[in-house]
Amino acid sequence: MPTTFFTIANQKGGVGKTTSAINLGAAIASKNISCLLVDLDPQANATSGLGFEKEEGQSLYQAILEEEKADSKVRETSTKNLFLIPSEVDMAAVETELANSKNYLVRLRETLRAIKKSKRFKAVIIDCPPSLGMLSMNAMAASDFLLIALQCEYLAMEGLGQILSVLRQLQEAGVNPDLELGGIMMTMYDVRTNLSRQVASDVRQHFGKDVFSTMIPRSIRLGEAPSFGQTIFEYDPLSAGAIAYQELSTEVIKRFKLK
Ligand SMILES: Nc1ncnc2c1ncn2[C@@H]1O[C@H](COP(=O)(O)OP(=O)(O)OP(=O)(O)O)[C@@H](O)[C@H]1O
Ligand SMILES: [Mg+2]
């Protein structure tokens, strides 16, 4: 079976991209589907959230700039079937260095080509920084599907137009004609507030089936887990957040035929 590449993005900060990348990835892995998480964010939150130190030389930085292969950067995590290519602060320099290089939009795709060819993973999830710069565009250019994390809060949909227009540009300019909107993940949903419910219903009205049925609840446990370097399934497997990410993974596996 081929490898399906996903980008998790939203130029808004703190909306649950990394939490979703880690826990959706871990949930997919728990169903015996090999999954590689690529941390493309210089903040390296997915890296530390999985219990790895932020070390120089471990990221895709050199590989992207020198068009080397990425295989040697793959690390095993404490979750079976879940692997990680870590990030580090140096990744930030990719933004400026790529701007001056040729084929600057498809460099990550080239870097990941060997991984795609090897079919070692069924799913690759790329976690993006909160911007629509070079790194996020490279992630989208390398992916089959864009997953947007959307926080259930006031003005959640503001800015969605921008990311969707980047998606369209990458399709239409021929950079990645196959890229599709894979889905919108609603995060930090708070059943107790009218605002959360209102936002969720507005988003569903606009985007219909593109929105996953599962909503990720606001949960203190989800916020705590990364400070222990653990997925929610290691930290508190019976919590509402763990159950939600399991349910989301079931939807994702079905929607994208990962099994
Ligand atoms: N469902 C949730 N309930 C409670 N806290 C959450 C939830 N999801 C994420 N958080 C917390 O909110 C903060 C932002 O989440 P996260 O890092 O996943 O967002 P992000 O979109 O990746 O941020 P950035 O844009 O900085 O990369 C983190 O402290 C995280 O632990
Ligand atoms: Mg993040």
Side-chain angles (χ1 to χ4, degrees), residues 12-19 41 43 130 188 216-219 222-223:
K12 263 198 185 182
V15 297
K17 292 182 288 295
T18 301
T19 304
D41 184 352
Q43 298 179 97
M188 300 188 221
I216 307 303
R218 184 174 280 287
S219 138
L222 279 172

Side-chain angles (χ1 to χ4, degrees), residues 4 14 19 53 131 137 159 172 178 180 200 205 213-214 218 247:
T4 307
T19 304
E53 299 289 332
S131 80
M137 287 205 283
E172 287 169 7
D178 301 329
E180 287 177 42
Q205 203 147 36
S213 306
T214 309
R218 184 174 280 287
E247 284 172 359

